[in-house]
């Protein structure tokens, strides 16, 4: 058995893994920001007066949700240059993650918006509010707390999917662990540490999301 | 596009077959793991509960790709060397099984209290109660969320390409590497994954849901 | 009747506050309002009563433009509500026209529909600030005055979830009034309330009738209340007005068989 855990080696690679952790968090954060905004736009886009737009968006999002993220990452990274847009691994990766998760988040928003009672819309109409104000001031403030659990789950989901960015060379945790492994021929420590880091970050995040949900609900008086 | 399919169709079909095999085997692993861990988390014995919870938290708390690499590259250091094909479906199955365990647990808990009590009143043994009364009802509740989970599982199998299993994803990458026909290679793969998900898995699950509901006299 | 047959505007000497002219509404094959003609004069309080499903709510919702119109024209102060003039004929109105027309109408709902994430005061200020463009200070003054009027000033900083049904409904009335509508619609505003708080809401409406010159249309199941405060009772039956009269006349000497049946049934239920 060649199992021998070396603590000196752990300390040696710790700084690199720490830096990579920051990159992972950055990737997850920016991917999430894109997904949150794009997801909202896609959810609202399905509620316009044009049924054709709704149909196209729904089917496209269904497609995005049904196909592997890793393949979408490759697709965007390699097909971009073919149509004249050369994307850095970071940009391509963020676009892929943002798009993939916006498809999920649009569903979360949609469910949140649909959970707002019809009477709220009618009250806005009776007060002669614009559609924009109705969404911005009445519907979304009620829909978002409903959506928080789902939004939180997908934050954790994005975080756990960032290792896929290693396939196009984004230097997040997985890529760094791979690099360390191929330089030193030691896989035990880097891969295990990556697992531990993920565990240590995603478990508390899940707890935090639950807490945030409670606080928000209370603050909005619901 | 037509030329592309004529030239590479055979290899793509082979890759798709490997993806199908990975999907089937990983599903079997996931079902077993989910059932064991889901029931384990409801066990009266704390070591069983602890083991099941540890499994679920570790596999849900880390990434599939990390798990895959760990099982393929690190497990051999513990004397467990798995061929890449096995490491592939095992990782995917165990990962999805951890999510499935929560579905199993949740649906068992949502079988109405009265059913448990009725079984108890018939003085059934706990095992029999679970197998004959609770699980069949829980099974119907589980099916819709499992439908979504199986799509996630299919998507998860694409990662086994990264340890060298020659699945659909792997073939697409290879063709891209040798021909730079990126849009065709990856695009075809995307469409095939979509069709597998929406033309095979989803309708099959729907049919299963309907037939299960009928068997339990709910349709 | 073709849309082109309707006047673009009503003549100055024949301008009720509200006029339904041959209005039809159907959901699929179900005809809910059947060729309805109804005038409501300035400052008049009209109560709409009738069996469930007779189309009472639909009348109010069409006035509030919450429902589309399938036939006929509704005029508000002589101007078409859901139609506008184009090339000399009436065509379905655009959103800008609807918004202009809606400004003169306010509505209170059976289930209050207060905004749960805002306090009572914020609920009242929302419309004046966002829609009418009042300054916060002006809107606050106006809202506080109305909350005082409905007896809710000491609860102005509470969220709806902390208020009883009767209190919520009074806030909802203040919220609608804050928009200074000329027409107020009440759809069974006491139906969702516990019996002991119905009085506090009817009291507010009573004061509105006495002290303001609003035109009001009220759907209610409270016959006594309707009789007390209305200028006229409209009895709906299957999407048509079966009978309408001044309250005394209506309740003491109903003319139609169906009205008599309905009134007997309501009395028995009490
Ligand atoms: N959105 C809708 N779709 C289909 N049918 C509807 C819709 N809204 C109302 N209806 C039907 O229209 C008819 C009239 O409804 P309306 O709500 O106006 O009755 P109402 O007189 O207010 O009754 P209630 O006393 O029960 O409130 C009913 O038969 C109702 O089922
Ligand atoms: Mg009604």
């Amino acid at each position: 058995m060649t199992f021998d855990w070396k603590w000196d080696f752990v300390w040696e690679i710790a700084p690199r893994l720490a830096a990579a952790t920051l990159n992972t968090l950055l990737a997850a954060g920016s991917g999430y920001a894109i997904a949150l905004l794009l997801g909202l736009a896609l959810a609202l886009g399905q509620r316009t007066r044009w049924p054709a737009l709704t149909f196209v968006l729904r089917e496209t999002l269904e497609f995005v949700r049904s196909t592997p993220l890793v393949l979408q990452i490759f697709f965007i990274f390699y097909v971009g240059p073919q149509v004249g847009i050369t994307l850095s691994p970071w940009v391509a990766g963020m676009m892929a993650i943002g798009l993939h998760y916006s498809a999920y988040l649009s569903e979360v928003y949609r469910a949140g918006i649909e959970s707002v009672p019809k009477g709220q819309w009618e009250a806005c109409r009776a007060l002669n509010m614009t559609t924009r104000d109705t969404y911005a001031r009445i519907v979304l403030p009620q829909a978002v707390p409903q959506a928080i659990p789902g939004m939180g789950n997908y934050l954790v989901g994005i975080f756990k999917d960032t290792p896929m960015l290693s396939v196009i060379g984004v230097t997040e945790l997985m890529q760094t662990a791979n690099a360390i492994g191929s330089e030193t021929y030691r896989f035990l420590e880097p891969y295990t540490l990556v697992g531990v880091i993920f565990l240590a970050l995603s478990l508390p995040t899940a707890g935090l999301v639950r807490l945030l949900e409670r606080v928000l609900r209370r603050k909005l008086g619901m | 596009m037509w030329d592309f399919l004529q030239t590479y169709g055979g290899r793509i079909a082979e890759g798709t077959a490997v993806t199908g095999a990975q999907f089937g085997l990983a599903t079997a692993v996931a079902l077993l793991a989910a059932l064991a861990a889901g029931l384990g988390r409801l066990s009266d014995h704390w070591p069983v509960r602890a083991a099941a919870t540890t499994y679920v938290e570790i596999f849900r708390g880390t990434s599939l790709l990390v798990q895959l690499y760990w099982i393929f590259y690190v497990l051999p250091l513990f004397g467990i060397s798995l061929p890449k094909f096995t490491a592939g479906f095992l990782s995917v199955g165990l990962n999805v099984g951890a999510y499935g365990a929560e579905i199993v647990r949740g649906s068992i808990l949502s079988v109405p209290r009265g059913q448990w009590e009725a079984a108890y009143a018939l003085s059934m043994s706990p095992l029999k109660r679970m197998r004959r009364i609770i699980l069949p009802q829980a099974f119907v509740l589980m099916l819709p969320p499992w439908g979504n989970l199986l799509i996630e599982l299919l998507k998860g199998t694409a990662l086994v390409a990264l340890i060298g299993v020659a699945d659909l994803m792997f073939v697409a990458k290879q063709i891209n590497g040798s021909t730079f026909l990126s849009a065709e290679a990856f695009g075809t793969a995307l469409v095939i994954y979509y069709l597998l998900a929406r033309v095979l898995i989803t309708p099959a699950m729907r049919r299963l849901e309907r037939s299960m509901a009928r068997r339990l006299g709910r349709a | 009747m073709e849309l082109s047959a309707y006047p673009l505007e009503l003549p100055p000497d024949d301008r009720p506050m509200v006029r339904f002219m041959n209005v039809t509404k159907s959901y699929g094959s179900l005809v809910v309002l059947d060729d309805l003609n109804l005038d409501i004069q300035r400052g008049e309080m009209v109560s709409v009563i009738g069996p469930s499903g007779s189309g009472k709510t639909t009348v109010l919702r069409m006035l509030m433009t919450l429902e589309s119109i399938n036939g006929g024209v509704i005029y508000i102060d002589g101007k078409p509500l859901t139609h506008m003039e184009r090339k000399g004929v009436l065509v379905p109105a655009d959103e800008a026209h609807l918004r202009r027309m809606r400004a003169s109408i306010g509505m209170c709902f059976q289930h209050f529909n207060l905004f749960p994430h805002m306090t009572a005061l914020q609920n009242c200020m929302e419309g004046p600030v966002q829609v009418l463009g009042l300054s916060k200070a002006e809107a606050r003054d106006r809202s506080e005055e109305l909350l005082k009027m409905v007896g809710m000033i000491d609860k102005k900083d509470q969220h709806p979830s902390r208020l009883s049904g009767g209190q919520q409904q009074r806030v909802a009335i203040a919220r609608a009034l804050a928009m200074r509508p000329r027409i107020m619609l009440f759809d069974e505003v006491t139906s969702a309330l516990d019996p002991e708080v119905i009085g506090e809401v009817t009291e507010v409406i009573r004061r509105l009738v006495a002290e303001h010159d609003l035109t009001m249309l009220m759907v209610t199941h409270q016959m006594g209340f309707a009789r007390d405060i209305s200028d006229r009772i409209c009895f709906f039956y299957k999407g048509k007005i079966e009978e309408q009269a001044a309250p005394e006349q209506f309740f003491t000497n109903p003319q139609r068989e169906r009205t008599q049946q309905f009134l007997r049934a309501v009395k028995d239920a009490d």
Side-chain angles (χ1 to χ4, degrees):
Chain A
M1 203 152 115
T2 49
F3 164 58
D4 58 334
W5 180 271
K6 285 199 179 147
W7 282 105
D8 340 344
F9 183 60
V10 169
W11 300 132
E12 196 185 311
I13 62 175
R16 276 176 80 184
L17 287 177
T21 305
L22 282 184
N23 273 350
T24 287
L25 290 175
L26 187 65
S30 17
Y32 192 52
I34 297 174
L36 278 180
L37 292 175
L38 188 59
L40 182 59
L42 291 168
L44 295 178
Q46 290 177 61
R47 300 181 60 91
T48 61
R49 246 167 298 170
W50 306 295
L53 179 63
T54 309
F55 178 80
V56 169
L57 282 179
R58 233 192 9 233
E59 295 303 311
T60 312
L61 294 178
E62 181 82 56
F63 186 91
V64 171
R65 276 194 300 270
S66 312
T67 49
L69 172 58
V70 66
L71 191 51
Q72 293 167 4
I73 294 175
F74 276 121
F75 188 90
I76 291 182
F77 186 62
Y78 286 104
V79 177
Q82 286 193 340
V83 296
I85 322 164
T86 304
L87 300 164
S88 75
W90 267 92
V91 174
M94 293 303 88
M95 280 174 60
I97 285 192
L99 175 70
H100 191 78
Y101 275 90
S102 71
Y104 286 96
L105 280 166
S106 69
E107 283 298 294
V108 172
Y109 286 119
R110 203 172 60 87
I113 291 173
E114 276 167 12
S115 76
V116 175
K118 229 175 91 218
Q120 293 292 307
W121 296 88
E122 298 184 345
C124 292
R125 183 70 80 84
L127 290 176
N128 213 1
M129 292 172 76
T130 58
T131 306
R132 216 190 98 144
D133 277 346
T134 302
Y135 274 108
R137 303 196 46 88
I138 308 301
V139 173
L140 290 181
Q142 294 179 60
V144 168
Q146 291 292 324
I148 292 277
M151 289 162 82
N153 286 339
Y154 288 124
L155 170 60
V156 179
I158 284 191
F159 174 62
K160 284 185 293 190
D161 273 354
T162 52
M164 290 187 206
L165 294 172
S166 63
V167 299
I168 52 170
V170 174
T171 51
E172 44 61 68
L173 270 170
M174 199 74 244
Q175 164 77 3
T176 307
N178 286 341
I180 294 171
S182 57
E183 287 160 23
T184 62
Y185 299 104
R186 288 196 67 87
F187 293 99
L188 173 64
E189 292 87 353
Y191 285 158
T192 307
L193 283 173
V194 168
V196 169
I197 293 171
F198 269 101
L199 212 50
L201 287 171
S202 67
L203 289 185
T205 312
L208 221 64
V209 168
R210 278 195 292 277
L211 188 72
L212 178 67
E213 182 193 350
R214 271 208 304 280
V215 171
L216 247 164
R217 266 173 209 271
R218 212 177 22 243
K219 246 180 127 170
L220 292 169
M222 296 198 286
Chain B
M1 194 67 218
W2 180 238
D3 287 348
F4 176 82
L5 285 182
Q6 273 195 325
T7 319
Y8 297 104
R11 277 169 70 191
I12 291 175
E14 280 165 30
T16 307
V18 173
T19 290
Q22 285 280 324
F23 174 79
L25 291 164
T27 301
V29 172
L31 287 174
L32 287 177
L35 199 60
L39 289 173
R41 292 197 73 177
L42 294 168
S43 164
D44 292 334
H45 306 286
W46 75 262
V48 179
R49 271 202 316 274
T53 306
T54 309
Y55 158 68
V56 168
E57 293 297 342
I58 286 184
F59 277 84
R60 282 176 13 131
T62 60
S63 307
L64 171 54
L65 193 54
V66 179
Q67 292 153 21
L68 182 67
Y69 282 4
W70 207 88
I71 286 175
F72 187 63
Y73 292 109
V74 179
L75 263 194
L77 306 179
F78 294 81
I80 310 173
S81 283
L82 299 171
K84 54 196 174 188
F85 187 84
T86 312
F89 73 77
L90 198 63
S91 308
V92 177
L94 286 175
N95 177 271
V96 172
Y99 292 88
E102 291 302 278
I103 297 179
V104 170
R105 190 175 80 106
S107 58
I108 287 176
L109 287 178
S110 45
V111 171
R113 189 86 235 126
Q115 294 293 318
W116 294 78
E117 287 165 1
Y120 191 77
L122 293 175
S123 48
M124 282 185 167
S125 72
L127 196 69
K128 209 170 206 155
R129 178 175 64 195
M130 188 55 83
R131 229 190 47 217
R132 303 221 22 103
I133 308 295
I134 306 303
L135 273 185
Q137 298 185 50
F139 195 65
V140 177
L141 298 172
M142 276 178 224
L143 281 178
W146 267 102
N148 289 330
L149 201 54
L150 288 187
I151 306 283
E152 295 303 316
L153 186 147
L154 174 69
K155 289 158 61 181
T157 62
L159 289 179
V160 302
L162 300 177
I163 56 167
V165 179
D167 72 340
L168 177 56
M169 169 80 212
F170 188 86
V171 171
K173 240 179 78 176
Q174 253 187 352
I175 298 174
N176 175 63
S178 57
T179 65
F180 299 105
L181 293 170
S182 311
E184 291 85 343
F186 292 128
T188 308
L190 280 171
V191 169
I192 293 175
Y193 277 110
Y194 177 75
L195 293 177
L196 288 176
R198 292 298 156 199
V199 179
L200 285 180
I201 301 176
T202 304
M205 287 304 288
R206 286 279 143 72
R207 210 165 316 131
L208 191 59
E209 274 168 40
R210 270 200 305 275
S211 86
M212 279 309 291
R214 236 191 333 270
R215 210 174 304 172
L216 280 188
R218 292 206 187 150
Chain C
M1 215 158 105
E2 289 287 310
L3 259 185
S4 56
Y6 290 89
L8 299 178
E9 268 190 24
L10 299 181
D13 56 343
D14 181 26
R15 279 199 172 179
M17 196 63 187
V18 177
R19 167 166 291 173
F20 282 79
M21 214 168 159
N22 312 113
V23 170
T24 332
K25 173 73 191 173
S26 40
Y27 296 103
S29 61
L30 175 72
V31 178
V32 179
L33 292 183
D34 186 6
D35 199 25
L36 177 71
N37 287 289
L38 171 65
D39 280 6
I40 301 168
Q41 302 304 326
R42 237 161 290 270
E44 198 182 11
M45 160 54 117
V46 174
S47 287
V48 176
I49 63 174
S52 182
S54 57
K56 308 179 296 292
T57 296
T58 307
V59 170
L60 263 54
R61 291 174 58 84
M62 291 184 79
L63 266 178
M64 196 64 257
T65 68
L66 292 170
E67 301 288 347
S68 60
I69 182 167
N70 297 129
V73 176
I74 300 172
Y75 293 90
I76 301 295
D77 197 13
K79 294 202 183 66
L81 173 67
T82 57
H83 295 86
M84 57 199 258
E85 183 261 313
R86 183 171 297 149
K87 293 183 193 138
V89 288
L90 288 181
V91 296
D94 59 14
E95 183 62 21
H97 178 89
L98 287 178
R99 280 178 59 75
R100 250 188 329 269
M101 295 304 293
R102 234 179 322 205
S104 46
I105 308 173
M107 180 163 181
C108 292
F109 302 87
Q110 183 174 352
H111 296 286
F112 337 126
N113 299 349
L114 289 179
F115 304 134
H117 56 303
M118 298 180 176
T119 64
L121 181 63
Q122 288 168 337
N123 262 280
C124 294
M125 291 171 60
E126 183 67 12
V129 172
Q130 301 299 329
V131 180
L132 305 180
L134 263 57
S135 75
K136 282 247 165 76
E138 285 171 296
R140 178 183 308 262
D141 287 349
R142 182 187 281 197
S143 301
E144 284 182 344
E145 194 178 307
L146 285 164
L147 285 171
K148 218 174 279 164
M149 201 260 299
V150 300
M152 287 298 297
I153 190 70
D154 47 333
K155 303 261 184 192
K156 69 179 160 79
D157 294 322
Q158 301 283 0
H159 280 93
S161 56
R162 308 287 303 274
L163 302 175
S164 74
Q167 293 172 330
Q168 290 189 56
Q169 194 60 286
R170 284 185 282 152
V171 173
I173 294 174
R175 177 177 74 175
L177 291 172
M179 299 299 285
R180 300 261 163 96
R182 294 193 292 161
I183 302 166
M184 273 290 283
L185 310 172
F186 298 95
D187 187 14
E188 295 195 36
V189 287
T190 56
S191 291
L193 301 181
D194 291 335
E196 67 270 21
V197 300
I198 288 181
E200 62 192 50
V201 173
T202 51
E203 208 40 55
V204 169
I205 298 177
R206 240 179 249 275
R207 282 193 57 188
L208 280 182
V209 174
E211 297 168 16
H212 296 259
D213 61 346
L214 279 162
T215 305
M216 293 192 250
L217 191 54
M218 172 173 86
V219 174
T220 183
H221 287 308
Q222 294 177 272
M223 298 303 146
F225 179 56
R227 181 173 182 166
D228 272 7
I229 65 160
S230 311
D231 298 308
R232 182 164 35 125
I233 310 285
C234 259
F235 175 63
F236 270 72
Y237 189 85
K238 291 202 172 151
K240 282 179 180 293
I241 298 177
E242 180 78 12
E243 180 167 357
Q244 51 180 329
E248 272 316 303
Q249 153 87 21
F250 181 89
F251 285 107
T252 53
N253 189 15
Q255 301 296 307
R256 314 274 298 196
E257 171 81 35
R258 293 221 172 90
T259 320
Q260 294 160 4
Q261 269 173 11
F262 177 75
L263 289 176
R264 260 199 309 277
V266 191
K267 197 176 285 158
D268 289 349
D270 273 355

